[in-house]
């Protein structure tokens, strides 16, 4: 950097973009427990997943290789927005009066407005390579559906999306954006699937959930050999595709001679958090740095801090393999908070495993605190965050204020995983004083947790 | 560039960002005609403008210096998104099968999502420096209002925005974005001003226009010495602030050894077009390159191709100085097309002057062709354009297809001045087959042109 001490953002040239994804499993002291077939309770093999995913992705799901090459066709598309900028939040720091240095990796520069295209593009690429004609998926707030619609448009694949009812109703622009990219979008629960008809019959399910939408998309894909299913988070290969975020951030911080003391990411399914943190976890495991790595989840859907670590279904209808993860129970329906992307009952099995290994900490935050932080962020840094990363921003501000008390020049790194251009109704709700905090009783968690299938 | 031949986008480091704005007037063979006081018909002097603008901006409005230094405080804010990327539209080129090389300078990376912060930030800075407490302004589609709200938030100034009724109704998210930045937003025509009450009484004015909204904002600013007015286009100093776009593009093209054969920009008030093209016009006037420079306007509001070159008011109520420009008449109300930012009855006096000098060409395009081009652009390049730049994209595609016919390896440079995240209702209108083309009769132009005040 020519003006290293004055910089606002740290950019990398396209030629400095990482060309491999990182697989944390290769560096863990013990491997994560395998997913189990719900009928036999035996570990799921590649062939069990073949009706839903192309073999290249299945092999990435189970690989123990430390690095996987990113195909040239994917790198070409990544260059549309990658390497993404790493910002120093100088105006926010000044407003807080903190000695902490706050960095944020901004993924909202992607065409879909979030980190999701990092995995949507390779997923579309590998499906195209395998001759797949159509991909089905679920989406919550719409970030993932938009990303997959975009990726499918580039590779000439049809895309059909089941969007969680609460978000479908609240965010019509998200649906329209998917349609601009050529996708077909349904409100979930829909009448198009058996799962949708069955689950939709229960009034408590009418606002939908990611678990229900997954059931619908999986059902449609399983029916037709030329249709595959794609998931935007949770699975190992999805988390691995996102590691390009952290790999870039490592290079960017190195350019200005910084080492983080604290990493903060929001967690729903966990892909954004894993993408930022796994490369730093590698460095931590190798003894090269020692940051605290903290996952922040919504108080309404706190799978890490309030869930149990158990084998559970990934979807509500019970069609997926059983995965060992932190879960609130597969039929838990979170309050319809604005951070739709964080309304998932479980946590990625790999993140859950890493949490059990003591490699990360977790914290839950209520949504009004998140939006208060978001407005302060917007009015200083200029970027209006999506509701999901406001959770990470709220904790970054908490920690920067603690550093002000203690006088510590703490280096905080967080992920601003998407912009909030489609979430302004949520800001309206906050600014007009109508937003309420989640009010979830321990009984409601206990009720759905009790329905988790008993696996030894 | 390490991989010059494979690049997707050309970036500049923050240290390569231009530190001066360019003033085209210094290089023109004749100066543009001065604005006139509507009462005396004498040229307007700096003191006439003092009730509305701080003196620093007034001096920039009248300066004949070739370059003006960008203040350090403004450069610091520019670094939030600048230098902006220059893209090679490889996927679009491939889809068109054209030998043309299409480049686009993307300004949608700014916090407000368009080129408008390039001038909003210095305007807020100079007003703050002059002790101004509040800035009033108008906005059409909302890009300018968002940019000024953002800039005012950073410098701690109040911001009050009159938004054209048609856009206020159609784009609630734009208003919400301004409110997130702390601005107060009114639907124009409003009951808060004399101009609004008077003009709003005529039913044909109910959907509003930029001319009416300007009258309202100017009236409010003129009343109070601690309140100033800011304009998002048209004036010399605004156009000059935007030249950072073209200065960067020149550097970026030089990095890959390209010289444009054709520059294409959309024109409403003209600031985006001027920003891209004026630095290239300097090179053209100096004999260093010879690109055709083309302005593209909407068929519903074609001030360059259907207007007259005459002294006319900048607003509808007749409160501004008379400006020599291409105009459809100050009480012309364009159809409520989706490109709200192009619904202005006049053209920037400096662009009008340059057009008279034969330094640029102009073309009008109907909106369905624009949206057809936009959808093709989104599905190849991944970025959903705002309705305004779809006019430039439509002509870039026309020209790329002509190059395909002729086999010419033409180098086309265009400005993608903003994203369409707040314009998805317009895409819905297009995709559902409901969009209609403008149907304006020559009589309607003639009627408002006849009302232009007679000045020798």
């Amino acid at each position: 950097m020519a003006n290293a001490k004055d910089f606002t953002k740290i950019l990398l040239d396209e030629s400095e973009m990482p060309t491999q994804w990182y697989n944390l499993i290769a560096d863990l002291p013990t491997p994560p427990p395998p997913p189990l077939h719900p009928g036999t309770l035996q570990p799921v093999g590649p062939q069990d997943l073949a009706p839903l995913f192309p073999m290249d992705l299945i092999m990435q799901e189970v690989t123990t290789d430390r690095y996987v090459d990113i195909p040239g066709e994917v790198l070409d598309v990544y260059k549309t927005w990658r390497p993404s900028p790493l910002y120093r939040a100088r105006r926010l720091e000044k407003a807080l009066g903190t000695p902490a240095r706050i960095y944020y990796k901004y993924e909202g520069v992607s065409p879909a407005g979030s980190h999701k295209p990092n995995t949507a593009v390779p997923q579309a690429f590998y499906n195209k390579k395998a001759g797949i004609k159509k991909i089905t998926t679920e989406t919550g707030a719409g970030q993932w559906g938009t990303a997959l619609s975009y990726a499918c448009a580039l590779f000439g694949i049809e895309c059909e999306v089941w969007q969680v009812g609460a978000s479908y109703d609240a965010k019509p622009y998200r649906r329209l954006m998917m349609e601009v990219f050529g996708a077909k979008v349904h409100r979930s629960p829909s009448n198009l699937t058996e799962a949708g008809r069955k689950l939709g019959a229960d009034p408590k399910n009418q606002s939908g959930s990611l678990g229900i939408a997954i059931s619908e998309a999986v059902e449609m894909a399983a029916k037709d050999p030329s249709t595959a299913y794609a998931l935007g988070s949770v699975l190992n290969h999805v988390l691995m595709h996102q590691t390009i975020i952290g790999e870039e951030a490592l290079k960017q911080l190195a350019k200005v001679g910084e080492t983080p003391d604290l990493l903060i990411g929001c967690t729903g399914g966990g892909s954004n958090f894993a993408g930022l943190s796994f490369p730093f976890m590698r460095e931590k495991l190798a003894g090269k740095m020692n940051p605290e790595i903290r996952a922040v989840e919504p108080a309404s859907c706190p799978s890490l801090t309030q869930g149990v670590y158990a084998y559970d279904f990934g979807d509500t209808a019970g069609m997926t393999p059983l995965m060992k993860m932190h879960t609130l129970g597969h039929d838990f329906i979170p309050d319809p908070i604005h951070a739709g992307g964080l309304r998932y009952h479980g946590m990625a099995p790999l993140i859950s495993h890493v949490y059990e290994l003591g490699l990360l900490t977790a914290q839950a935050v209520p949504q009004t605190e998140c939006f208060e932080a978001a407005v302060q962020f917007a009015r200083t840094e200029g970027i209006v965050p999506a509701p999901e990363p406001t959770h990470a921003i709220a904790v970054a501000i908490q920690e920067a204020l603690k550093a002000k008390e203690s006088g510590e020049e703490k280096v905080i790194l967080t992920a601003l995983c998407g912009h909030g251009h489609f979430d302004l109704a949520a800001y309206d709700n906050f600014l007009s004083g109508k937003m309420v905090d989640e009010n979830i009783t321990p009984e409601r968690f206990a009720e759905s947790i009790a329905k988790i299938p008993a696996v030894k």
Side-chain angles (χ1 to χ4, degrees), chain A residues 241-280:
Chain A
H241 295 159
Q242 295 293 355
T243 57
I244 193 165
I245 302 173
E247 294 289 14
E248 286 180 3
L250 273 169
K251 284 192 180 193
Q252 288 164 314
L253 285 175
K255 282 205 176 196
V256 292
E258 289 276 38
T259 310
D261 298 306
L262 174 60
L263 257 77
I264 303 170
C266 65
T267 45
S271 75
N272 159 65
F273 176 78
L276 179 72
S277 68
F278 282 6
F280 286 86

Side-chain angles (χ1 to χ4, degrees), chain A residues 100-384:
Chain A
R101 298 194 290 282
I102 306 172
Y103 291 87
Y104 57 96
K105 180 78 171 156
Y106 184 41
E107 293 292 308
V109 292
S110 83
S114 77
H115 65 295
K116 294 288 187 184
N118 296 333
T119 184
V121 171
Q123 289 196 53
F125 166 76
Y126 289 117
N127 273 289
K128 178 72 177 185
K129 195 178 151 206
I132 289 297
K133 305 291 180 209
K134 188 201 279 192
I135 302 181
T136 64
T137 198
E138 74 292 332
T139 197
Q143 297 275 25
W144 166 241
T146 306
L148 191 67
S149 304
Y150 157 67
C152 286
L154 296 189
F155 289 102
I157 305 177
E158 280 181 71
C159 183
E160 203 163 344
V161 182
W162 275 261
Q163 186 175 17
V164 174
S167 292
Y168 183 96
D169 299 339
K171 301 186 181 183
Y173 274 28
R174 268 286 169 203
R175 169 179 61 77
L176 292 171
M177 182 107 168
M178 294 185 251
E179 290 173 355
V180 169
F181 288 130
K184 193 178 280 184
V185 186
H186 310 290
R187 187 189 190 284
S188 172
S190 76
N191 284 321
L192 300 166
T193 66
E194 204 175 310
R197 287 186 294 270
K198 193 175 149 198
L199 294 164
D202 184 341
K204 87 160 178 151
N205 288 335
Q206 259 310 311
S207 65
S209 71
L210 281 169
I212 297 172
I214 293 171
S215 295
E216 296 204 84
V218 165
E219 181 185 323
M220 290 301 275
K223 274 182 195 166
D224 175 2
S226 71
T227 298
Y229 165 73
L231 192 66
S233 190
V234 178
L235 300 180
N236 296 343
H237 69 275
V238 178
L239 272 49
M240 187 175 72
H241 295 159
Q242 295 293 355
T243 57
I244 193 165
I245 302 173
E247 294 289 14
E248 286 180 3
L250 273 169
K251 284 192 180 193
Q252 288 164 314
L253 285 175
K255 282 205 176 196
V256 292
E258 289 276 38
T259 310
D261 298 306
L262 174 60
L263 257 77
I264 303 170
C266 65
T267 45
S271 75
N272 159 65
F273 176 78
L276 179 72
S277 68
F278 282 6
F280 286 86
M281 230 174 259
R282 174 189 64 216
E283 303 300 297
K284 185 173 173 159
L285 287 163
K288 293 185 194 162
M289 52 175 72
N290 193 25
E292 183 194 339
I293 298 176
R294 195 181 307 173
V296 185
E297 52 190 13
S300 63
C301 198
S303 54
L304 283 172
T305 56
Q306 301 282 332
V308 292
Y309 186 51
Y311 270 105
D312 195 6
F313 293 110
D315 70 324
T316 303
M319 300 167 70
T320 70
L322 289 162
M323 297 182 291
K324 187 89 180 262
M325 61 183 178
H326 291 85
T327 174
L328 296 160
H330 60 276
D331 80 343
F332 177 72
I333 303 282
D335 287 355
I337 56 162
H338 294 289
L342 306 185
R343 294 178 71 235
Y344 185 62
H345 66 275
M347 180 50 58
L350 186 50
I351 292 177
S352 296
H353 178 60
V354 164
Y355 188 45
E356 290 295 311
L357 291 174
L359 290 169
L360 59 89
T361 56
Q363 177 178 355
V365 183
Q367 70 174 352
T368 53
E369 181 181 347
C370 295
F371 275 86
E372 194 175 345
V375 169
Q376 182 168 28
F377 188 88
R379 291 182 184 177
T380 50
E381 293 298 308
I383 301 169
V384 178

Side-chain angles (χ1 to χ4, degrees), chain A residues 24-44:
Chain A
L24 177 65
I25 292 171
D27 287 320
L28 292 178
T30 56
L36 303 182
H37 190 286
T40 64
L41 297 187
Q42 291 305 303
V44 163

